[in-house]
């Protein structure tokens, strides 16, 4: 069945280091992928997205990589800051008017 | 532009009661989706509406229902509440489903006692 999963439930990094959060998906028909950040007490916040006709997209301090061959998605955060501490979700749109979410990875940034 | 607004922010109900949650999407967004978030199950898709029509529904019992109005505002209703319905209910709006991101509200925290 459809699933979007995360390899690591928690990730701890030193402030200033780069962070990499990974995600696996199983639906080869998915053509739109999104990363969200959720802080305590708030709803998920859009970070960056990528369509299946691309393999890399960059934003401000963030990069998303898509490897369709192995159905893998990753989010790279450069120069991680304490404000980046949150839960990160990958999500895929299956084309059926719904977006499904992975389990989430909690990122801890140590000062 | 104002974000997605959900009311109420917190709600406490007892088993057997029913509850209605409200969501106002970002102006111009016609697609509204609802999610249930719990520590054990993560973000689970409830349903999606576009132009007052439900286009998709998740694997939830019929006690969970929703609707969308002509101004794109949406409500969801849960009848005969159970303890397991305690969760954060999130509403999200988007320009389109499929190639534009969801914009979430901060949710309604429902506690069923």
């Amino acid at each position: 069945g459809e699933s979007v999963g995360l390899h690591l439930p928690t990730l701890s990094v030193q402030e200033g280091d780069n962070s990499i959060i990974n995600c696996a998906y199983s639906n080869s028909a998915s053509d739109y992928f999104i990363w969200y950040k959720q802080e305590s007490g708030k709803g998920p916040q859009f970070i960056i997205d990528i369509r299946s006709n691309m393999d890399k997209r960059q934003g401000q301090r963030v990069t998303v990589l898509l490897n369709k061959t192995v159905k893998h998605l990753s989010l790279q955060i450069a120069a991680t800051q304490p404000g980046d501490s949150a839960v990160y979700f990958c999500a895929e749109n299956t084309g059926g008017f719904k977006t499904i979410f992975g389990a989430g990875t909690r990122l801890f940034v140590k000062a | 532009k104002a974000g997605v607004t959900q009311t109420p922010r917190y709600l406490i109900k007892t088993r057997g009661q029913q509850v209605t949650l409200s969501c106002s999407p970002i102006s111009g967004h016609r697609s509204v989706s609802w999610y249930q978030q719990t520590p054990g199950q993560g973000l689970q898709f409830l349903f999606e509406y576009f132009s007052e029509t439900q286009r998709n529904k998740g694997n939830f019992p019929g006690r969970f229902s929703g609707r969308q109005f002509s101004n794109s505002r949406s409500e969801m209703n849960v009848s005969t509440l159970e303890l397991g319905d305690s969760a954060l209910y999130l509403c999200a709006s988007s320009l389109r489903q499929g190639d534009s991101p969801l914009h979430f509200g901060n949710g309604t925290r429902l506690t069923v006692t």
Side-chain angles (χ1 to χ4, degrees), chain A:
Chain A
E2 300 172 336
S3 68
V4 178
L6 288 166
H7 296 168
L8 299 172
T10 61
L11 178 64
S12 183
V13 300
Q14 199 69 38
E15 181 180 0
D17 288 350
N18 296 333
S19 302
I20 299 176
I21 301 172
N22 296 302
C23 175
Y25 66 93
S26 62
N27 190 338
S28 58
S30 293
D31 58 4
Y32 179 57
F33 304 87
I34 319 102
W35 281 100
Y36 293 90
K37 171 188 180 183
Q38 187 174 27
E39 297 174 288
S40 180
K42 297 184 179 179
Q45 177 187 4
F46 167 73
I47 300 172
I48 192 168
D49 56 4
I50 190 167
R51 289 167 175 71
S52 58
N53 61 351
M54 304 171 68
D55 54 19
K56 180 179 180 179
R57 191 169 188 216
Q58 288 183 293
Q60 186 177 13
R61 284 199 307 117
V62 294
T63 300
V64 55
L65 299 177
L66 175 63
N67 185 330
K68 293 182 288 294
T69 301
V70 295
K71 298 177 188 172
H72 185 267
L73 192 69
S74 68
L75 176 70
Q76 300 178 1
I77 305 173
T80 312
Q81 303 169 357
D84 295 326
S85 293
V87 177
Y88 289 80
F89 295 94
C90 63
E92 65 179 306
N93 188 279
T94 62
F97 306 119
K98 71 176 181 179
T99 299
I100 62 173
F101 286 76
T105 291
R106 184 173 296 278
L107 176 65
F108 291 101
V109 181
K110 296 175 288 186

Side-chain angles (χ1 to χ4, degrees), chain B residues 24-95:
Chain B
S24 293
I26 292 172
S27 177
H29 286 190
R30 296 168 65 190
S31 172
V32 174
S33 301
W34 287 89
Y35 288 82
Q36 181 194 66
Q37 186 174 30
T38 59
Q41 297 296 318
L43 278 153
Q44 298 291 311
F45 173 77
L46 280 157
F47 23 65
E48 189 265 357
Y49 288 88
F50 185 90
S51 294
E52 302 179 67
T53 300
Q54 185 184 91
R55 299 193 298 184
N56 208 337
K57 190 177 189 304
N59 295 323
F60 280 84
R63 299 185 296 107
F64 291 80
S65 63
R67 60 177 176 170
Q68 186 182 34
F69 302 96
S70 58
N71 60 359
S72 293
R73 192 176 68 84
S74 179
E75 290 181 347
M76 67 163 284
N77 183 276
V78 188
S79 63
T80 319
L81 284 166
E82 301 176 359
L83 295 179
D85 296 332
S86 294
L88 180 67
Y89 289 88
L90 291 160
C91 168
S93 71
S94 62
L95 282 171

